[in-house]
Amino acid sequence: MDGKKPVILSGIQPTGQLHLGNYEGALRNWVDLQDKYNMYLCVVDWHSLTSDFNDTGAMQDRIIQTAFDFLAAGLDPKKCSIFVQSDVKEHAELHLLFSMIIPTPWLERVPSYKEKSETLGLDSYGFLGYPLLQAADILLYKAEFVPVGKDQLPHIELTREVARRFNNLYRTVFPEPDGLLSKFPAIPGTDGRKMSKSYNNDIKLADTPELTAKKLKGMITDPQKVYKGDPGHPDICSVYGLHQVYSGDTSGIFNDCTSGALGCADCKKRLTDNLNDSLAPLRGKRKELENDLPYVLNTLKEGADQARQTAVATMADVRSAMNLVRNNV
Ligand code: TRP
């Protein structure tokens, strides 16, 4: 990595195999950013414990599957540090120190806390601290920008407040980072809702072309288009939504659906071919990586070694600012 470029950091929970929504919403953007920034990408296994602490059996597999997708998508370990949060223990120390200086109400009013504590019944001490651990992830590397989706902006705002409070209490150690939002297409799932692993409506990058075809075949289309000749409404159809991402110029599809010339089965078939063609290189690369687990494990190890160098330096600074270092007393 090149020390002169601005530092950015993003994090992703190890949910296992990633889907098209993850790809279009995050991965693809990170691949572009890796040339312009010093980028840290952190697979946040500790964060995933705030909700999935009772089922950790597949944790390591979920981490590796995430790493396969990162590398298959074109993230280059020579250009960015890809690492697992729990491999760099400094995240935990910084989180602990922040937990001493941040008033609990700051955390209780974060929107995701209110929402999820009610809907998912999450009530652990660690869950309340979720955004504080995220602030530690970001500030440990003194990141200036954080590429994330809009939903994460309250967490970035909290991170700025944490940095400000630390800097005021002790001395200026941390920058106040900004979110880095990018435009990306909405990716509908096979049931028309937003694509999400938890809705079970996703298409994985790792799915075979056959499974992709099967999932697309079962997709819900315009409910008013029952027979092939019926005029359709592409604007409300999630198959058309995916065509707009994967089929280039879609004006022909739009017109033929609207006039009734194009039936849903043919339309899905065309989407299947286009989507499978566009994912073929990524899937090919993923297969190679699956056959070279030692390379992927080593990439994560080297990513952590690199991240740790920065993390260790920041923690030395933090401890010294807080007078936690015994110099010649
Ligand atoms: N909360 C983020 C999410 O759910 C994941 C995350 C953890 C993160 N630490 C981060 C994102 C640091 C950006 C920076 O998507």
Side-chain angles (χ1 to χ4, degrees):
M1 295 213 290
D2 167 357
K4 288 191 279 305
K5 294 178 184 167
V7 175
I8 63 176
L9 176 139
S10 199
I12 190 168
Q13 291 203 23
T15 51
Q17 295 182 346
L18 301 181
H19 55 64
L20 295 180
N22 303 128
Y23 183 55
E24 302 299 339
L27 275 182
R28 201 191 267 282
N29 182 34
W30 295 345
V31 173
D32 289 339
L33 294 173
Q34 66 184 343
D35 291 314
K36 287 184 236 126
Y37 294 96
N38 262 348
M39 183 165 67
Y40 294 91
L41 291 175
C42 183
V43 181
V44 292
D45 53 348
W46 284 335
H47 275 104
S48 76
L49 295 174
T50 58
S51 47
D52 295 330
F53 56 87
N54 58 351
D55 183 17
T56 60
M59 178 70 94
Q60 294 312 313
D61 184 57
R62 287 192 269 123
I63 291 172
I64 300 297
Q65 295 297 332
T66 305
F68 285 153
D69 284 323
F70 274 24
L71 297 170
L75 288 167
D76 179 350
K78 289 194 195 71
K79 296 182 182 167
C80 61
S81 296
I82 301 170
F83 68 101
V84 180
Q85 185 183 40
S86 68
D87 285 345
V88 182
K89 307 298 182 209
E90 284 74 10
H91 289 246
E93 185 182 353
L94 189 56
H95 174 236
L96 175 90
L97 295 176
F98 284 163
S99 80
M100 303 301 169
I101 67 170
I102 299 306
T104 314
W106 288 20
L107 300 173
E108 284 165 343
R109 62 173 180 248
V110 172
S112 59
Y113 176 71
K114 285 195 198 151
E115 261 165 50
K116 289 197 186 165
S117 58
E118 279 163 26
T119 54
L120 304 176
L122 298 173
D123 56 7
S124 72
Y125 172 56
F127 179 63
L128 178 63
Y130 182 112
L132 207 51
L133 180 57
Q134 182 165 349
D137 297 338
I138 297 165
L139 296 177
L140 195 48
Y141 302 92
K142 301 187 178 173
E144 291 173 62
F145 300 101
V146 188
V148 281
K150 271 211 295 287
D151 64 309
Q152 292 295 310
L153 290 180
H155 292 175
I156 309 301
E157 192 50 44
L158 181 83
T159 302
R160 297 169 62 84
E161 287 167 355
V162 172
R164 217 174 299 146
R165 185 162 170 90
F166 185 99
N167 293 344
N168 286 335
L169 280 170
Y170 309 108
R171 63 172 145 83
T172 301
V173 169
F174 298 115
E176 287 182 36
D178 282 306
L180 190 64
L181 297 178
S182 67
K183 274 216 199 86
F184 58 85
I187 303 296
T190 51
D191 61 359
R193 291 186 291 175
K194 179 183 173 198
M195 187 176 285
S196 161
K197 184 184 174 185
S198 49
Y199 292 158
N200 214 354
N201 66 356
D202 60 355
I203 295 167
K204 312 276 197 216
L205 297 172
D207 284 346
T208 60
E210 295 72 30
L211 183 55
T212 306
K214 192 170 156 222
K215 288 182 176 178
L216 293 179
K217 221 170 165 181
M219 262 182 98
I220 294 166
T221 58
D222 173 5
Q224 288 181 37
K225 186 167 163 69
V226 181
Y227 300 106
K228 181 179 171 193
D230 293 346
H233 304 86
D235 287 332
I236 57 149
C237 177
S238 30
V239 174
Y240 185 71
L242 289 177
H243 268 301
Q244 286 180 299
V245 185
Y246 296 103
S247 299
D249 177 5
T250 56
S251 52
I253 296 168
F254 187 96
N255 292 335
D256 291 348
C257 170
T258 314
S259 73
L262 178 64
C264 293
D266 285 345
C267 179
K268 288 174 173 177
K269 174 83 181 58
R270 282 209 228 166
L271 175 63
T272 303
D273 292 344
N274 294 340
L275 179 56
N276 280 335
D277 284 352
S278 107
L279 291 179
L282 186 154
R283 285 171 169 165
K285 185 143 181 232
R286 199 182 196 282
K287 277 258 146 19
E288 287 171 25
L289 293 160
E290 287 167 10
N291 290 322
D292 196 355
L293 188 58
Y295 166 77
V296 176
L297 292 173
N298 191 51
T299 299
L300 291 177
K301 183 184 173 298
E302 286 181 356
D305 290 345
Q306 198 168 26
R308 199 177 302 108
Q309 287 187 18
T310 308
V312 163
T314 303
M315 283 318 297
D317 216 3
V318 166
R319 289 186 211 112
S320 147
M322 294 179 81
N323 297 305
L324 296 168
V325 185
R326 226 157 299 111
N327 296 323
N328 314 315
V329 187

